[in-house]
Amino acid sequence: MHLGPELSPLERQEIEAECAHYPERRAAAIEGLKVVQKHRGWVSDGSLQALAELLQMPVGELEGVATFYNLIFRQPVGRHVILLCDSVCCWIKGRDDLNRRLCQRLGIKPGETSADGQFTLLPTVCLGDCDRAPTLMIDHQQHGNLTPEKIDRLLDQLQAPGGEDG
Ligand code: FES
């Protein structure tokens, strides 16, 4: 993984390809942030600055976009990111029980990353899947109608040797 704040040639190439879809470069802000996150796992201040320069927009404006869009991570995250819905439907259907089980299994609190660097647990607003509440998203895949037992099975799969790649 490229660790310096400057964007790699591949990142630049992918971001330029996104810019080509829009009349203004800054319109590719979200796609640009996604490209950076895909390559680095998260978006550091340095990367944000470099991306703002490439998109020819003020860094403060780009930061606003990154903050608004809750799937862009501004701090390092684990290999697997678990987004647990904490909006009303999921709350009524027992998301707190899921939260307890996740914290117990991973030895962390919401917002933290497990000691082995494998999992980050983040609360999130409605994932748009209320019919299947309570829900969560792991590595961009949504899971619904969850119970603590289903959480165990999901984590067992991810923690198994040779389990799903992130
Ligand atoms: S409230 Fe949880 S998915 Fe909508």
Side-chain angles (χ1 to χ4, degrees), residues 39-101:
H39 287 277
R40 297 158 187 262
W42 65 294
V43 182
S44 68
D45 287 349
S47 301
L48 197 79
Q49 178 76 46
L51 179 60
E53 278 166 26
L54 189 63
L55 296 176
Q56 296 166 7
M57 65 191 287
V59 68
E61 194 180 315
L62 183 60
E63 180 150 35
V65 175
T67 307
F68 181 75
Y69 191 66
N70 64 0
L71 295 181
I72 295 297
F73 308 129
R74 294 284 283 118
Q75 290 181 7
V77 289
R79 180 166 169 235
H80 303 289
V81 177
I82 303 174
L83 296 167
L84 179 62
C85 177
D86 66 358
S87 290
V88 67
C89 295
C90 288
W91 182 76
I92 290 169
K93 294 285 208 95
R95 64 82 64 196
D96 283 353
D97 294 337
L98 307 182
N99 188 53
R100 258 191 297 279
R101 181 62 61 97

Short mmCIF file of all heavy atoms in Angstrom, two decimals, residues 39-101:
data_model
loop_
_atom_site.label_atom_id
_atom_site.label_comp_id
_atom_site.label_asym_id
_atom_site.label_seq_id
_atom_site.Cartn_x
_atom_site.Cartn_y
_atom_site.Cartn_z
N HIS A 39 -7.45 2.57 -2.21
CA HIS A 39 -6.02 2.25 -2.24
C HIS A 39 -5.37 2.28 -0.86
O HIS A 39 -4.38 1.60 -0.63
CB HIS A 39 -5.28 3.21 -3.17
CG HIS A 39 -5.57 2.94 -4.62
ND1 HIS A 39 -4.89 1.98 -5.33
CD2 HIS A 39 -6.48 3.47 -5.46
CE1 HIS A 39 -5.36 1.94 -6.57
NE2 HIS A 39 -6.33 2.83 -6.68
N ARG A 40 -5.90 3.12 0.04
CA ARG A 40 -5.22 3.33 1.32
C ARG A 40 -6.00 2.86 2.53
O ARG A 40 -5.47 2.86 3.63
CB ARG A 40 -4.94 4.83 1.50
CG ARG A 40 -4.01 5.37 0.46
CD ARG A 40 -4.16 6.87 0.32
NE ARG A 40 -3.38 7.35 -0.81
CZ ARG A 40 -2.17 7.88 -0.70
NH1 ARG A 40 -1.64 8.08 0.48
NH2 ARG A 40 -1.51 8.25 -1.77
N GLY A 41 -7.28 2.55 2.36
CA GLY A 41 -8.11 2.12 3.48
C GLY A 41 -8.79 3.29 4.17
O GLY A 41 -9.84 3.12 4.78
N TRP A 42 -8.20 4.49 4.09
CA TRP A 42 -8.77 5.67 4.71
C TRP A 42 -8.17 6.90 4.04
O TRP A 42 -7.25 6.77 3.22
CB TRP A 42 -8.53 5.68 6.22
CG TRP A 42 -7.11 5.79 6.63
CD1 TRP A 42 -6.13 4.87 6.43
CD2 TRP A 42 -6.49 6.89 7.30
NE1 TRP A 42 -4.93 5.32 6.94
CE2 TRP A 42 -5.13 6.56 7.49
CE3 TRP A 42 -6.94 8.12 7.78
CZ2 TRP A 42 -4.23 7.42 8.13
CZ3 TRP A 42 -6.04 8.97 8.42
CH2 TRP A 42 -4.71 8.61 8.59
N VAL A 43 -8.67 8.10 4.40
CA VAL A 43 -8.21 9.33 3.76
C VAL A 43 -7.56 10.23 4.80
O VAL A 43 -8.24 10.83 5.63
CB VAL A 43 -9.39 10.07 3.08
CG1 VAL A 43 -8.90 11.32 2.37
CG2 VAL A 43 -10.09 9.14 2.07
N SER A 44 -6.23 10.32 4.76
CA SER A 44 -5.50 11.15 5.72
C SER A 44 -5.60 12.62 5.32
O SER A 44 -6.02 12.96 4.21
CB SER A 44 -4.02 10.74 5.73
OG SER A 44 -3.44 11.11 4.49
N ASP A 45 -5.16 13.52 6.23
CA ASP A 45 -5.14 14.95 5.91
C ASP A 45 -4.27 15.21 4.68
O ASP A 45 -4.62 16.02 3.82
CB ASP A 45 -4.59 15.76 7.10
CG ASP A 45 -5.59 15.83 8.24
OD1 ASP A 45 -6.76 15.44 8.04
OD2 ASP A 45 -5.19 16.25 9.35
N GLY A 46 -3.12 14.52 4.62
CA GLY A 46 -2.21 14.72 3.49
C GLY A 46 -2.85 14.29 2.17
O GLY A 46 -2.71 14.98 1.15
N SER A 47 -3.52 13.16 2.21
CA SER A 47 -4.18 12.68 0.98
C SER A 47 -5.31 13.64 0.58
O SER A 47 -5.54 13.88 -0.60
CB SER A 47 -4.78 11.29 1.19
OG SER A 47 -3.79 10.39 1.56
N LEU A 48 -6.00 14.16 1.59
CA LEU A 48 -7.09 15.09 1.31
C LEU A 48 -6.56 16.34 0.60
O LEU A 48 -7.13 16.80 -0.39
CB LEU A 48 -7.77 15.48 2.64
CG LEU A 48 -9.14 16.11 2.51
CD1 LEU A 48 -10.21 15.05 2.27
CD2 LEU A 48 -9.49 16.89 3.76
N GLN A 49 -5.43 16.82 1.11
CA GLN A 49 -4.79 18.00 0.50
C GLN A 49 -4.38 17.71 -0.94
O GLN A 49 -4.66 18.51 -1.86
CB GLN A 49 -3.54 18.35 1.35
CG GLN A 49 -2.73 19.52 0.86
CD GLN A 49 -3.41 20.84 1.17
OE1 GLN A 49 -3.88 21.05 2.28
NE2 GLN A 49 -3.49 21.71 0.17
N ALA A 50 -3.76 16.55 -1.15
CA ALA A 50 -3.29 16.19 -2.50
C ALA A 50 -4.48 16.05 -3.45
O ALA A 50 -4.42 16.48 -4.60
CB ALA A 50 -2.50 14.89 -2.43
N LEU A 51 -5.57 15.46 -2.95
CA LEU A 51 -6.75 15.27 -3.80
C LEU A 51 -7.40 16.63 -4.13
O LEU A 51 -7.82 16.87 -5.27
CB LEU A 51 -7.75 14.35 -3.10
CG LEU A 51 -9.05 14.07 -3.86
CD1 LEU A 51 -8.78 13.41 -5.20
CD2 LEU A 51 -9.98 13.18 -3.03
N ALA A 52 -7.45 17.51 -3.13
CA ALA A 52 -8.03 18.84 -3.35
C ALA A 52 -7.26 19.57 -4.45
O ALA A 52 -7.84 20.21 -5.33
CB ALA A 52 -8.03 19.65 -2.06
N GLU A 53 -5.91 19.45 -4.42
CA GLU A 53 -5.10 20.10 -5.46
C GLU A 53 -5.42 19.51 -6.83
O GLU A 53 -5.59 20.25 -7.81
CB GLU A 53 -3.61 19.92 -5.15
CG GLU A 53 -3.11 20.92 -4.13
CD GLU A 53 -1.75 20.56 -3.56
OE1 GLU A 53 -0.98 19.85 -4.24
OE2 GLU A 53 -1.48 20.98 -2.42
N LEU A 54 -5.52 18.19 -6.88
CA LEU A 54 -5.79 17.54 -8.17
C LEU A 54 -7.17 17.95 -8.70
O LEU A 54 -7.36 18.10 -9.91
CB LEU A 54 -5.71 16.02 -7.99
CG LEU A 54 -5.75 15.19 -9.27
CD1 LEU A 54 -4.55 15.49 -10.17
CD2 LEU A 54 -5.78 13.70 -8.94
N LEU A 55 -8.13 18.12 -7.79
CA LEU A 55 -9.49 18.47 -8.22
C LEU A 55 -9.68 19.98 -8.33
O LEU A 55 -10.77 20.45 -8.65
CB LEU A 55 -10.52 17.90 -7.22
CG LEU A 55 -10.59 16.39 -7.11
CD1 LEU A 55 -11.58 15.96 -6.02
CD2 LEU A 55 -10.98 15.76 -8.44
N GLN A 56 -8.61 20.72 -8.02
CA GLN A 56 -8.62 22.19 -8.11
C GLN A 56 -9.78 22.78 -7.31
O GLN A 56 -10.59 23.56 -7.80
CB GLN A 56 -8.71 22.62 -9.58
CG GLN A 56 -7.48 22.21 -10.36
CD GLN A 56 -7.66 22.30 -11.86
OE1 GLN A 56 -8.66 22.80 -12.35
NE2 GLN A 56 -6.69 21.81 -12.62
N MET A 57 -9.87 22.32 -6.05
CA MET A 57 -10.90 22.85 -5.16
C MET A 57 -10.30 23.11 -3.78
O MET A 57 -9.26 22.52 -3.45
CB MET A 57 -12.08 21.87 -5.06
CG MET A 57 -11.77 20.54 -4.41
SD MET A 57 -13.11 19.34 -4.61
CE MET A 57 -14.34 20.00 -3.48
N PRO A 58 -10.90 24.01 -2.99
CA PRO A 58 -10.37 24.28 -1.65
C PRO A 58 -10.43 23.02 -0.78
O PRO A 58 -11.44 22.29 -0.83
CB PRO A 58 -11.30 25.36 -1.09
CG PRO A 58 -12.06 25.89 -2.26
CD PRO A 58 -12.11 24.80 -3.27
N VAL A 59 -9.37 22.81 0.02
CA VAL A 59 -9.32 21.59 0.84
C VAL A 59 -10.47 21.56 1.85
O VAL A 59 -11.02 20.49 2.17
CB VAL A 59 -7.93 21.42 1.50
CG1 VAL A 59 -7.68 22.50 2.55
CG2 VAL A 59 -7.76 20.04 2.09
N GLY A 60 -10.87 22.75 2.34
CA GLY A 60 -11.97 22.81 3.31
C GLY A 60 -13.27 22.30 2.71
O GLY A 60 -14.07 21.63 3.38
N GLU A 61 -13.48 22.61 1.45
CA GLU A 61 -14.69 22.17 0.77
C GLU A 61 -14.67 20.64 0.60
O GLU A 61 -15.68 19.96 0.83
CB GLU A 61 -14.77 22.85 -0.59
CG GLU A 61 -16.11 22.74 -1.26
CD GLU A 61 -16.11 23.45 -2.61
OE1 GLU A 61 -15.59 24.59 -2.69
OE2 GLU A 61 -16.61 22.86 -3.57
N LEU A 62 -13.51 20.13 0.23
CA LEU A 62 -13.39 18.67 0.06
C LEU A 62 -13.56 17.96 1.41
O LEU A 62 -14.19 16.91 1.50
CB LEU A 62 -12.03 18.32 -0.55
CG LEU A 62 -11.80 16.84 -0.86
CD1 LEU A 62 -12.84 16.32 -1.84
CD2 LEU A 62 -10.41 16.61 -1.42
N GLU A 63 -13.03 18.57 2.46
CA GLU A 63 -13.19 18.00 3.79
C GLU A 63 -14.67 17.93 4.17
O GLU A 63 -15.13 16.96 4.77
CB GLU A 63 -12.42 18.83 4.81
CG GLU A 63 -12.55 18.28 6.22
CD GLU A 63 -11.33 18.58 7.06
OE1 GLU A 63 -10.76 19.67 6.88
OE2 GLU A 63 -10.98 17.74 7.89
N GLY A 64 -15.41 18.97 3.80
CA GLY A 64 -16.86 18.98 4.05
C GLY A 64 -17.56 17.81 3.37
O GLY A 64 -18.41 17.15 3.96
N VAL A 65 -17.16 17.54 2.13
CA VAL A 65 -17.74 16.41 1.40
C VAL A 65 -17.40 15.10 2.11
O VAL A 65 -18.26 14.24 2.33
CB VAL A 65 -17.20 16.37 -0.06
CG1 VAL A 65 -17.71 15.13 -0.78
CG2 VAL A 65 -17.60 17.62 -0.82
N ALA A 66 -16.13 14.97 2.51
CA ALA A 66 -15.67 13.74 3.17
C ALA A 66 -16.39 13.52 4.49
O ALA A 66 -16.73 12.39 4.85
CB ALA A 66 -14.16 13.80 3.39
N THR A 67 -16.65 14.59 5.21
CA THR A 67 -17.31 14.48 6.52
C THR A 67 -18.78 14.12 6.34
O THR A 67 -19.34 13.32 7.09
CB THR A 67 -17.20 15.83 7.28
OG1 THR A 67 -15.83 16.19 7.31
CG2 THR A 67 -17.73 15.72 8.69
N PHE A 68 -19.39 14.69 5.32
CA PHE A 68 -20.81 14.46 5.07
C PHE A 68 -21.06 13.01 4.65
O PHE A 68 -22.06 12.40 5.02
CB PHE A 68 -21.30 15.43 4.00
CG PHE A 68 -22.76 15.29 3.69
CD1 PHE A 68 -23.71 15.79 4.58
CD2 PHE A 68 -23.19 14.65 2.55
CE1 PHE A 68 -25.06 15.65 4.32
CE2 PHE A 68 -24.54 14.51 2.27
CZ PHE A 68 -25.48 15.01 3.16
N TYR A 69 -20.13 12.47 3.89
CA TYR A 69 -20.32 11.15 3.29
C TYR A 69 -19.77 10.11 4.27
O TYR A 69 -18.56 9.96 4.38
CB TYR A 69 -19.60 11.10 1.95
CG TYR A 69 -19.93 9.91 1.11
CD1 TYR A 69 -21.21 9.72 0.59
CD2 TYR A 69 -18.97 8.97 0.82
CE1 TYR A 69 -21.51 8.62 -0.18
CE2 TYR A 69 -19.26 7.86 0.04
CZ TYR A 69 -20.53 7.70 -0.44
OH TYR A 69 -20.82 6.59 -1.20
N ASN A 70 -20.66 9.41 5.00
CA ASN A 70 -20.17 8.65 6.16
C ASN A 70 -19.47 7.34 5.79
O ASN A 70 -19.01 6.62 6.68
CB ASN A 70 -21.28 8.44 7.20
CG ASN A 70 -22.41 7.60 6.67
OD1 ASN A 70 -22.39 7.18 5.52
ND2 ASN A 70 -23.40 7.35 7.50
N LEU A 71 -19.33 7.04 4.51
CA LEU A 71 -18.55 5.85 4.16
C LEU A 71 -17.11 6.21 3.80
O LEU A 71 -16.34 5.37 3.35
CB LEU A 71 -19.20 5.09 3.00
CG LEU A 71 -20.57 4.50 3.33
CD1 LEU A 71 -21.14 3.74 2.15
CD2 LEU A 71 -20.48 3.57 4.54
N ILE A 72 -16.77 7.49 3.95
CA ILE A 72 -15.37 7.89 3.79
C ILE A 72 -14.75 7.97 5.18
O ILE A 72 -15.26 8.69 6.05
CB ILE A 72 -15.26 9.26 3.07
CG1 ILE A 72 -15.79 9.14 1.63
CG2 ILE A 72 -13.82 9.77 3.07
CD1 ILE A 72 -15.02 8.21 0.72
N PHE A 73 -13.66 7.25 5.39
CA PHE A 73 -13.05 7.19 6.71
C PHE A 73 -11.89 8.17 6.79
O PHE A 73 -10.98 8.14 5.96
CB PHE A 73 -12.57 5.77 7.00
CG PHE A 73 -13.65 4.74 6.77
CD1 PHE A 73 -13.41 3.63 5.98
CD2 PHE A 73 -14.91 4.91 7.31
CE1 PHE A 73 -14.40 2.70 5.74
CE2 PHE A 73 -15.91 3.99 7.09
CZ PHE A 73 -15.66 2.88 6.30
N ARG A 74 -11.91 9.02 7.82
CA ARG A 74 -10.86 10.03 7.99
C ARG A 74 -9.85 9.62 9.06
O ARG A 74 -9.00 10.40 9.44
CB ARG A 74 -11.51 11.38 8.33
CG ARG A 74 -12.34 11.95 7.19
CD ARG A 74 -11.47 12.55 6.09
NE ARG A 74 -10.99 13.85 6.53
CZ ARG A 74 -9.71 14.13 6.70
NH1 ARG A 74 -8.78 13.25 6.45
NH2 ARG A 74 -9.36 15.33 7.11
N GLN A 75 -9.99 8.39 9.54
CA GLN A 75 -9.01 7.84 10.48
C GLN A 75 -8.71 6.42 10.02
O GLN A 75 -9.54 5.81 9.34
CB GLN A 75 -9.58 7.79 11.89
CG GLN A 75 -9.75 9.15 12.50
CD GLN A 75 -10.30 9.08 13.91
OE1 GLN A 75 -10.44 8.01 14.49
NE2 GLN A 75 -10.60 10.22 14.45
N PRO A 76 -7.55 5.88 10.42
CA PRO A 76 -7.24 4.50 10.01
C PRO A 76 -8.31 3.54 10.51
O PRO A 76 -8.84 3.71 11.61
CB PRO A 76 -5.91 4.22 10.71
CG PRO A 76 -5.33 5.55 11.03
CD PRO A 76 -6.48 6.49 11.23
N VAL A 77 -8.63 2.57 9.69
CA VAL A 77 -9.63 1.57 10.07
C VAL A 77 -9.01 0.17 9.94
O VAL A 77 -7.96 0.00 9.34
CB VAL A 77 -10.90 1.66 9.19
CG1 VAL A 77 -11.70 2.90 9.50
CG2 VAL A 77 -10.55 1.59 7.71
N GLY A 78 -9.71 -0.81 10.50
CA GLY A 78 -9.25 -2.19 10.42
C GLY A 78 -9.49 -2.77 9.03
O GLY A 78 -10.04 -2.12 8.14
N ARG A 79 -9.08 -4.02 8.87
CA ARG A 79 -9.23 -4.68 7.57
C ARG A 79 -10.71 -4.80 7.19
O ARG A 79 -11.08 -4.67 6.03
CB ARG A 79 -8.57 -6.06 7.67
CG ARG A 79 -8.63 -6.85 6.43
CD ARG A 79 -7.67 -8.03 6.54
NE ARG A 79 -7.92 -8.94 5.47
CZ ARG A 79 -8.20 -10.23 5.62
NH1 ARG A 79 -8.27 -10.75 6.83
NH2 ARG A 79 -8.41 -10.99 4.58
N HIS A 80 -11.54 -5.08 8.17
CA HIS A 80 -12.98 -5.16 7.94
C HIS A 80 -13.67 -4.02 8.71
O HIS A 80 -13.40 -3.84 9.90
CB HIS A 80 -13.56 -6.47 8.45
CG HIS A 80 -12.91 -7.68 7.85
ND1 HIS A 80 -13.10 -8.05 6.53
CD2 HIS A 80 -12.07 -8.59 8.39
CE1 HIS A 80 -12.40 -9.16 6.29
NE2 HIS A 80 -11.77 -9.50 7.39
N VAL A 81 -14.52 -3.28 8.02
CA VAL A 81 -15.25 -2.19 8.68
C VAL A 81 -16.70 -2.61 8.84
O VAL A 81 -17.38 -2.95 7.87
CB VAL A 81 -15.15 -0.89 7.86
CG1 VAL A 81 -15.97 0.21 8.53
CG2 VAL A 81 -13.70 -0.46 7.73
N ILE A 82 -17.16 -2.60 10.09
CA ILE A 82 -18.55 -2.97 10.40
C ILE A 82 -19.32 -1.69 10.70
O ILE A 82 -19.01 -0.98 11.65
CB ILE A 82 -18.61 -3.90 11.62
CG1 ILE A 82 -17.77 -5.15 11.39
CG2 ILE A 82 -20.07 -4.27 11.94
CD1 ILE A 82 -17.67 -6.05 12.60
N LEU A 83 -20.33 -1.41 9.88
CA LEU A 83 -21.18 -0.24 10.10
C LEU A 83 -22.51 -0.74 10.64
O LEU A 83 -23.28 -1.39 9.93
CB LEU A 83 -21.40 0.50 8.78
CG LEU A 83 -20.15 1.11 8.13
CD1 LEU A 83 -20.43 1.52 6.69
CD2 LEU A 83 -19.66 2.31 8.93
N LEU A 84 -22.76 -0.46 11.92
CA LEU A 84 -23.98 -0.93 12.56
C LEU A 84 -25.00 0.20 12.61
O LEU A 84 -24.73 1.25 13.21
CB LEU A 84 -23.65 -1.43 13.98
CG LEU A 84 -24.83 -1.93 14.80
CD1 LEU A 84 -25.51 -3.13 14.15
CD2 LEU A 84 -24.37 -2.29 16.22
N CYS A 85 -26.14 -0.04 11.99
CA CYS A 85 -27.18 1.01 11.93
C CYS A 85 -27.68 1.34 13.34
O CYS A 85 -27.96 0.44 14.14
CB CYS A 85 -28.35 0.53 11.07
SG CYS A 85 -29.69 1.74 11.02
N ASP A 86 -27.77 2.64 13.63
CA ASP A 86 -28.34 3.01 14.94
C ASP A 86 -29.56 3.93 14.78
O ASP A 86 -29.89 4.69 15.67
CB ASP A 86 -27.28 3.63 15.87
CG ASP A 86 -26.76 4.96 15.38
OD1 ASP A 86 -27.16 5.40 14.30
OD2 ASP A 86 -25.93 5.55 16.09
N SER A 87 -30.20 3.84 13.61
CA SER A 87 -31.43 4.62 13.42
C SER A 87 -32.63 3.87 14.00
O SER A 87 -32.51 2.73 14.44
CB SER A 87 -31.62 4.97 11.95
OG SER A 87 -30.64 5.92 11.56
N VAL A 88 -33.80 4.52 13.92
CA VAL A 88 -34.90 4.10 14.78
C VAL A 88 -35.41 2.68 14.54
O VAL A 88 -35.62 1.92 15.50
CB VAL A 88 -36.04 5.15 14.76
CG1 VAL A 88 -36.73 5.23 13.41
CG2 VAL A 88 -37.05 4.88 15.86
N CYS A 89 -35.61 2.26 13.27
CA CYS A 89 -36.15 0.91 13.03
C CYS A 89 -35.22 -0.15 13.61
O CYS A 89 -35.67 -1.13 14.22
CB CYS A 89 -36.32 0.65 11.53
SG CYS A 89 -37.54 1.69 10.78
N CYS A 90 -33.94 0.02 13.39
CA CYS A 90 -32.98 -0.97 13.88
C CYS A 90 -32.88 -0.93 15.40
O CYS A 90 -32.70 -1.96 16.04
CB CYS A 90 -31.61 -0.74 13.23
SG CYS A 90 -31.61 -1.20 11.48
N TRP A 91 -33.04 0.25 15.94
CA TRP A 91 -32.98 0.39 17.39
C TRP A 91 -34.16 -0.36 18.03
O TRP A 91 -33.97 -1.14 18.98
CB TRP A 91 -32.99 1.88 17.75
CG TRP A 91 -32.88 2.14 19.21
CD1 TRP A 91 -31.76 2.04 19.98
CD2 TRP A 91 -33.94 2.52 20.08
NE1 TRP A 91 -32.05 2.34 21.28
CE2 TRP A 91 -33.39 2.64 21.38
CE3 TRP A 91 -35.31 2.79 19.90
CZ2 TRP A 91 -34.15 3.02 22.47
CZ3 TRP A 91 -36.06 3.14 21.00
CH2 TRP A 91 -35.48 3.27 22.26
N ILE A 92 -35.36 -0.17 17.45
CA ILE A 92 -36.54 -0.87 17.98
C ILE A 92 -36.38 -2.38 17.88
O ILE A 92 -36.81 -3.13 18.75
CB ILE A 92 -37.82 -0.42 17.21
CG1 ILE A 92 -38.15 1.03 17.56
CG2 ILE A 92 -39.01 -1.32 17.51
CD1 ILE A 92 -39.22 1.65 16.66
N LYS A 93 -35.73 -2.82 16.81
CA LYS A 93 -35.60 -4.27 16.57
C LYS A 93 -34.37 -4.87 17.24
O LYS A 93 -33.99 -5.99 16.92
CB LYS A 93 -35.54 -4.53 15.06
CG LYS A 93 -36.80 -4.20 14.31
CD LYS A 93 -37.87 -5.26 14.58
CE LYS A 93 -38.83 -5.39 13.43
NZ LYS A 93 -38.53 -6.41 12.50
N GLY A 94 -33.71 -4.12 18.10
CA GLY A 94 -32.69 -4.75 18.93
C GLY A 94 -31.25 -4.54 18.50
O GLY A 94 -30.38 -5.36 18.79
N ARG A 95 -30.96 -3.40 17.85
CA ARG A 95 -29.57 -3.18 17.45
C ARG A 95 -28.62 -3.09 18.65
O ARG A 95 -27.43 -3.39 18.53
CB ARG A 95 -29.41 -1.97 16.52
CG ARG A 95 -29.75 -0.64 17.07
CD ARG A 95 -28.71 0.04 17.88
NE ARG A 95 -27.51 0.37 17.13
CZ ARG A 95 -26.37 0.68 17.70
NH1 ARG A 95 -26.25 0.70 19.03
NH2 ARG A 95 -25.33 0.99 16.98
N ASP A 96 -29.15 -2.72 19.82
CA ASP A 96 -28.27 -2.63 20.99
C ASP A 96 -27.75 -4.01 21.39
O ASP A 96 -26.63 -4.14 21.88
CB ASP A 96 -28.99 -1.97 22.17
CG ASP A 96 -29.08 -0.45 21.99
OD1 ASP A 96 -28.47 0.07 21.04
OD2 ASP A 96 -29.77 0.20 22.80
N ASP A 97 -28.57 -5.05 21.19
CA ASP A 97 -28.10 -6.41 21.49
C ASP A 97 -26.97 -6.79 20.54
O ASP A 97 -26.00 -7.45 20.93
CB ASP A 97 -29.24 -7.42 21.33
CG ASP A 97 -30.33 -7.21 22.38
OD1 ASP A 97 -30.02 -6.62 23.43
OD2 ASP A 97 -31.47 -7.62 22.13
N LEU A 98 -27.12 -6.38 19.27
CA LEU A 98 -26.06 -6.68 18.29
C LEU A 98 -24.78 -5.94 18.66
O LEU A 98 -23.68 -6.47 18.58
CB LEU A 98 -26.49 -6.26 16.88
CG LEU A 98 -27.82 -6.79 16.35
CD1 LEU A 98 -28.03 -6.32 14.93
CD2 LEU A 98 -27.88 -8.30 16.43
N ASN A 99 -24.97 -4.68 19.05
CA ASN A 99 -23.82 -3.86 19.44
C ASN A 99 -23.06 -4.51 20.60
O ASN A 99 -21.83 -4.61 20.57
CB ASN A 99 -24.31 -2.46 19.82
CG ASN A 99 -23.17 -1.50 20.03
OD1 ASN A 99 -22.33 -1.34 19.16
ND2 ASN A 99 -23.14 -0.86 21.18
N ARG A 100 -23.83 -4.98 21.59
CA ARG A 100 -23.20 -5.62 22.75
C ARG A 100 -22.42 -6.85 22.32
O ARG A 100 -21.28 -7.07 22.74
CB ARG A 100 -24.27 -6.03 23.77
CG ARG A 100 -24.36 -5.07 24.95
CD ARG A 100 -25.22 -5.63 26.08
NE ARG A 100 -26.60 -5.84 25.66
CZ ARG A 100 -27.51 -4.87 25.60
NH1 ARG A 100 -27.20 -3.64 25.94
NH2 ARG A 100 -28.74 -5.13 25.21
N ARG A 101 -23.03 -7.67 21.44
CA ARG A 101 -22.35 -8.90 21.02
C ARG A 101 -21.07 -8.57 20.24
O ARG A 101 -20.03 -9.19 20.43
CB ARG A 101 -23.29 -9.75 20.16
CG ARG A 101 -22.69 -11.06 19.70
CD ARG A 101 -22.31 -11.98 20.85
NE ARG A 101 -23.44 -12.35 21.66
CZ ARG A 101 -24.14 -13.49 21.53
NH1 ARG A 101 -23.76 -14.39 20.67
NH2 ARG A 101 -25.17 -13.74 22.30
#
